[in-house]
Amino acid sequence: MDYLRAALFYTGLAVNTLVWSVLILLARPLPFAARERLAKAWCHGVLGMLRLAWGISYRVEGVDNLPHGPAVLMANHESAWETIGLRAAIDRPMNWVLKEELLRIPLYGWALRALEEISIDRNAGRDALRKVEADGVDRLGKGRWVVIFPEGTRSAPGEVTKFGQGGSRLAVAAGAPVVPVAHNAGYYWPNEGWRKRPGTITVRIGAPIDTQEGKAAAVNREVEAWITEQVHDLA
């Protein structure tokens, strides 16, 4: 049965991604809001297939904590789910900080370019930080949220690894609040293997953290402490 579930889900994922990537590319001349709606539709479609094939749903706590203006969203990273689910679960215009090699994937990567995502070379050191800051300030100035996974790579479910300062540096530079988000998606969509576990993923949104008077290191510590506490609580 698991093999059938996997075949149905990954076939649907491939077809869905192909179709929506083409639609996003065709919509490139349109305003960003139109392209963003298509991206969110793709995410909702994938989550629908995940629910049908594997019995995985999600719930969101703390929606009232979302500010209306642009913010930097920082979340833990333990699964592929949050790269899809957060765009669907949070009703805000978003740009994502992602690894540069994703842009080289035919159609999918081209669609990411059309969505004006922020790509970085993870081996570029301080140059990568400067690019996140410059591009992020630009996107925030356009009224969009910037989503970043400060761990940089996926961690084991229930664990949080050391945070990089790219997200907090960006927030301080732009004077934008940080919205911390914790989840337990890795228990249901593990990083290793193709099998998934039925259940309900919890996405927990924290209160915005003001960065107007703060320093990046202090902001980073506050965000890391909150996310770590919540991830352990959700374990």
Side-chain angles (χ1 to χ4, degrees):
M1 178 61 78
D2 280 356
Y3 291 108
L4 178 59
R5 291 174 186 268
L8 289 172
F9 175 70
Y10 284 107
T11 299
L13 176 63
V15 172
N16 202 35
T17 301
L18 175 64
V19 170
W20 287 106
S21 293
V22 171
L23 290 174
I24 290 168
L25 286 170
L26 292 174
R28 194 163 193 168
L30 300 178
F32 175 81
R35 288 170 273 149
E36 171 74 356
R37 283 195 294 271
L38 292 173
K40 287 185 181 294
W42 173 74
C43 293
H44 281 292
V46 173
L47 295 180
M49 291 187 297
L50 189 66
R51 184 174 61 253
L52 290 173
W54 290 99
I56 298 174
S57 57
Y58 70 92
R59 65 169 175 253
V60 182
E61 300 175 356
V63 173
D64 291 345
N65 286 324
L66 293 172
H68 292 291
V72 177
L73 189 157
M74 294 170 63
N76 61 307
H77 194 20
E78 58 183 44
S79 170
W81 184 89
E82 59 267 21
T83 66
I84 302 166
L86 292 182
R87 190 166 226 148
I90 296 176
D91 185 22
R92 296 292 186 274
M94 294 179 172
N95 282 123
W96 294 63
V97 177
L98 45 80
K99 54 188 179 182
E100 193 173 52
E101 48 264 42
L102 289 175
L103 302 185
R104 304 188 190 116
I105 301 173
L107 288 179
Y108 176 67
W110 306 341
L112 293 177
R113 287 185 186 276
L115 290 168
E116 303 176 36
E117 310 293 31
I118 301 169
S119 65
I120 57 168
D121 178 354
R122 293 189 294 185
N123 297 317
R126 291 191 176 276
D127 286 342
L129 289 175
R130 284 191 283 266
K131 187 174 188 300
V132 168
E133 189 173 320
D135 290 355
V137 168
D138 172 75
R139 306 303 191 271
L140 290 163
K142 293 175 179 176
R144 306 174 195 170
W145 285 44
V146 174
V147 182
I148 188 167
F149 300 119
E151 293 168 284
T153 188
R154 293 172 193 162
S155 57
E159 297 181 10
V160 177
T161 58
K162 184 176 175 58
F163 277 26
Q165 288 195 27
S168 56
R169 282 169 56 107
L170 164 60
V172 170
V178 171
V179 176
V181 173
H183 62 85
N184 58 358
Y187 288 101
Y188 305 97
W189 185 332
N191 187 32
E192 301 295 335
W194 51 268
R195 283 188 172 89
K196 296 169 180 52
R197 303 183 183 97
T200 302
I201 294 167
T202 298
V203 176
R204 187 170 292 170
I205 302 168
I209 295 172
D210 182 71
T211 65
Q212 294 281 350
E213 304 297 332
K215 294 185 177 180
V219 171
N220 211 48
R221 286 193 296 269
E222 185 175 353
V223 176
E224 184 175 357
W226 187 89
I227 289 179
T228 300
E229 180 182 4
Q230 302 307 313
V231 166
H232 291 165
D233 183 61
L234 292 170

